[in-house]
Amino acid sequence: MADFEPLPADRLRVVCAPDVFEFDSTAGLPDLPGGLGQARAEDALRFGLAMRQPGYHVFVLGESGTGRHVAVQRVLREFADQGEVPRDLCYLHNFDDPLRPRLLNLPAGRGAMLRADMQAFIRELRPAIDAALDSDTYSSRSESLQEAHKSREEAALRELGQACAAEGISLLRTPEGFVFAPIRDGETMSPEGFEALQQPERDAIEAKVGAWSERLTDLLEQFPGWRKELHEAMKRAARDALAPAVSHLMRGLRERYADLEQVGSFLSAISAELLDSGDEWAGGENEEDASEDEARTRFHRYQINLLVDHSATHGAPVVYEDNPNFVNLIGRIEHVAQMGTLVTHFNLIRAGALHRACGGYLIIDVERLLGQPFAWDGLKRVLRGREIRIEPPAEAQGWTSIVTLEPEPVPCDIKVVLIGDRELFFLLTEHDPDFPELFKVGADFDDDLPRTAENVVRYAHLLATLARSADLLPLDRSGIAGMVEHGARIAEDGGRLTLQTRLLADVMREADYHARNAKLTIIGRAQVDLAVASRARRYARYSERVLEAMVEGTTLISTSGERCGQINGLVIVDLAGERFGHPVRITATARLGEGDVIDIEREIELGGALHSKGVLILSAFLASRYARHQPLSLSASLVFEQSYVPVEGDSASLAELCALLSALAQLPIRQSFGVTGSVNQLGEVQVIGGVNEKVEGFFDLCAICGLTGEQGVVIPSASVRHLMLRNDVVEAARNGQFHIYSVATVDEAMTVLTGLAAGTPDAKGVLPKESINQRVASALAAMTAAKHAFAEGPGRTHRHRRRSDH
């Protein structure tokens, strides 16, 4: 033990002295310009945004809470401020094919102007039509045309009647139509008189009637043509009457939008339809009693569906879609029920996030995107085709027979920024061949940064920025120092500082709460420590119950005494984002066997893959060190006692190996120690995670049972730099009540745990007597000899023993 001294207290927590800061509080500290520790990620993001080639969209990856969204918004705003404002997007009625609305691109702000102008035009249209068609000129012309048509028909019939009367045949008009009848003595002959005539005379009259009937038929067949001519004439009259009114209404619109050819074509189409349907307006129902809304509905196809309005946009748009389902991304076509049928028109087309972000940038959380049916495929279709086709998933898949629209596609020049964790990035890269083609740039955000003097000062600026953005009280130098230490604690490294700004902001909010409760105007170290302790206490119910079970003896854990084949391993539990450590008893047994080390956790399927790997590695170390020239003739078992939940990780492999060596050599291990660390096949101790929580978990148990000055924890030497222990643990170590030992090999660990030297072989390979390694090697050699003796049979064993007696 003389060679192994516990770590000094000043190595258990890397403190931050308040006097390293030149300010008194963060009140006057300026915001941090740019990001902190994310230069690589921001450079990648800027490269992807500046690259105008297809497929250079960006995937921002990193841990949640590292300020990815804030950094992305800031960088995008820089690019957006230098970008051009996109054009407004509108849909128009297609007079040639109403089911295929036309797209109209207008300079920013002109879409809203056009929509307002067309609404005003529609309001003025009905009165103008009524005035034009109610004018004396149109009324006189209409009446004249109708009178002329009527006179023409009557004159033709009168002429036909006079001609047939000259031949003794009368043309009669009846309710059933026209009929011919013979005339006798100036009077129309009755049917009875006709029947009284001789047959030859009747035949002659019937022949004349038949001839005149044919002439009547020819005349009546001309009437539809004459009526069509009347209709065309009436249409021309209505057109002539409406032309000045329409031209007057259109004049201002045409002048205002003379620079936009598409608008001019649309206005021409409206004019043509109005003039072509002038007779319909004249023959329609009286609109005097109709409401203004009903009148507008009649002219809805002259309206402008302003899909995206950029009149208030400055620079390129930056759109964050919080709910990226298919409809919210691609847009939708709404339907309304009429007479039991779903109908739609171009005014029911609605924009999606992609429309709003055209010409700019769209931000999406990839986890939310992948959780929505069809949304990922829809986004990829847009990015591949560089155009947006508004078609619901059912129509895209051909699942529905509802009549719907096929709007003209919207050209889409856009940069998409996906934000997600690293696992999703690698999964998409591996399993979706489209992903690496579309998202060629990965911006990987760091979780922490080195704890240099310069970075500590910049970290203070970051904390000041976070506090100011959350409207918190300023922090003094001691408060900032406490936050710096807490940042290192979250990073699990005394030499690094976390960049998980969400966790830092949460602590500062709670510290602000405690400061305001105490009527303070500034946040100090005491409030920061109180916030951290309060948060830990809120989630401490389970950990307290675990310690209570150990103190009460329900869970068997010893913090004093010595025992062969038994050791206190240290494990960590993660619940709702909060972690705590506690000891667990690990036992090992050894007996004569075939070289098997049985991991009971693995046998009952409670051991994870990494834990099983650790057991296999320690088995390989045992065989390579102690059985290089002889078979390993033992059978061993390892188990986590009173553990009924899955065990994962290899951080207990050092404790398991030490327990096994203790069982083999029958060397008692001090139960006042907790052990954590993993081993490799060479017996070297490797770094593990959660070292602070594990040490503190064992310390808490020892503190409850009573600190004796003999208790401590054995950790890997590589984990010393990760130590950021609680102040009470550090003080106990400083007062000699609790000790932290760092070891680099299993030999060093066994020396600390047993108080005996491990033993190094001399030049001839001979181990020192009573050393740990010599006792283990002797135990294994005895097992090998016993195995050989059993293999030779009882007789040979008896003779061998008698010779040994002599």
Side-chain angles (χ1 to χ4, degrees), residues 592 630 777-787:
L592 192 63
Q630 65 183 17
S778 298
L780 290 174
M783 289 183 179
T784 301
K787 182 176 180 181

Side-chain angles (χ1 to χ4, degrees), residues 149-271:
H149 173 72
K150 183 177 181 181
S151 298
R152 184 181 184 186
E153 288 186 347
E154 290 178 351
L157 290 171
R158 185 168 54 251
E159 182 183 348
L160 181 63
Q162 291 172 352
C164 66
E167 296 185 11
I169 302 297
S170 175
L171 177 60
L172 303 176
R173 188 191 298 266
T174 69
E176 290 79 17
F178 293 98
V179 297
F180 289 97
I183 301 174
R184 179 62 57 88
D185 298 330
E187 298 290 337
T188 301
M189 187 179 294
S190 65
E192 292 79 9
F194 178 75
E195 292 296 331
L197 295 177
Q198 296 295 324
Q199 185 63 40
E201 190 174 2
R202 288 204 309 267
D203 292 342
I205 292 174
E206 289 177 354
K208 289 180 181 180
V209 169
W212 284 108
S213 295
E214 291 179 0
R215 291 183 65 181
L216 176 62
T217 300
D218 292 339
L219 178 61
L220 293 177
E221 287 179 351
Q222 295 181 47
F223 283 7
W226 295 355
R227 294 191 183 99
K228 183 177 181 181
E229 291 175 6
L230 173 63
H231 177 71
E232 294 296 332
M234 295 289 291
K235 195 170 185 177
R236 285 193 298 274
R239 184 184 185 92
D240 293 341
L242 287 175
V246 173
S247 177
H248 174 73
L249 290 175
M250 286 288 183
R251 186 177 298 116
L253 291 173
R254 290 186 183 278
E255 291 175 356
R256 188 172 301 178
Y257 300 99
D259 57 325
L260 300 174
E261 182 180 352
Q262 284 182 294
V263 177
S265 300
F266 179 60
L267 295 176
S268 297
I270 294 176
S271 297

Side-chain angles (χ1 to χ4, degrees), residues 465-638:
T465 303
L466 294 174
R468 194 172 295 115
S469 64
D471 196 23
L472 306 179
L473 293 173
L475 288 83
D476 64 15
R477 290 188 292 181
S478 67
I480 288 293
M483 288 301 303
V484 168
E485 293 180 19
H486 186 65
R489 166 78 178 216
I490 297 175
E492 296 189 71
D493 193 328
R496 303 191 71 83
L497 297 171
T498 186
L499 291 174
Q500 296 189 54
T501 54
R502 183 186 304 167
L503 299 178
L504 296 173
D506 287 346
V507 171
M508 287 193 293
R509 290 188 184 97
E510 296 181 22
D512 176 86
Y513 166 80
H514 294 299
R516 292 180 189 273
N517 274 358
K519 308 300 182 182
L520 301 176
T521 59
I522 199 166
I523 300 173
R525 176 63 178 261
Q527 287 73 48
V528 172
D529 291 344
L530 181 57
V532 173
S534 298
R535 184 176 182 85
R537 185 177 182 279
R538 288 199 298 271
Y539 293 93
R541 187 196 65 82
Y542 184 78
S543 60
E544 289 175 357
R545 296 297 180 272
V546 170
L547 291 178
E548 287 177 6
M550 295 176 183
V551 173
E552 295 170 354
T554 305
T555 301
L556 300 179
I557 295 291
S558 299
T559 59
S560 61
E562 298 181 345
R563 187 84 177 264
C564 292
Q566 177 177 300
I567 198 169
N568 293 322
L570 301 178
V571 298
I572 194 167
V573 177
D574 194 334
L575 291 176
E578 297 294 324
R579 304 197 304 174
F580 69 92
H582 66 82
V584 60
R585 175 174 290 181
I586 299 174
T587 60
T589 59
R591 53 202 175 276
L592 192 63
E594 300 295 330
D596 299 323
V597 176
I598 299 173
D599 176 14
I600 295 179
E601 307 296 330
R602 179 180 60 186
E603 295 298 320
I604 62 172
E605 300 182 354
L606 281 180
L610 295 180
H611 177 261
S612 299
K613 177 184 178 181
V615 174
L616 292 175
I617 289 174
L618 70 86
S619 302
F621 162 76
L622 199 65
S624 64
R625 169 173 284 192
Y626 300 109
R628 299 182 64 181
H629 306 295
Q630 65 183 17
L632 191 61
S633 303
L634 87 158
S635 179
S637 300
L638 294 169

Side-chain angles (χ1 to χ4, degrees), residues 708-722:
T708 63
E710 300 294 328
Q711 296 122 332
V713 173
V714 176
I715 65 171
S717 297
S719 293
V720 173
R721 64 187 304 270
H722 299 156

Side-chain angles (χ1 to χ4, degrees), residues 102-139:
R102 295 175 53 199
L103 177 68
L104 177 63
N105 284 287
L106 297 175
R110 300 291 293 277
M113 291 173 55
L114 179 59
R115 178 178 63 178
D117 288 342
M118 292 309 298
Q119 288 172 345
F121 170 78
I122 291 170
R123 285 194 299 269
E124 298 172 0
L125 184 58
R126 182 73 246 183
I129 290 175
D130 291 342
L133 297 180
D134 289 341
S135 65
D136 293 339
T137 302
Y138 174 74
S139 298

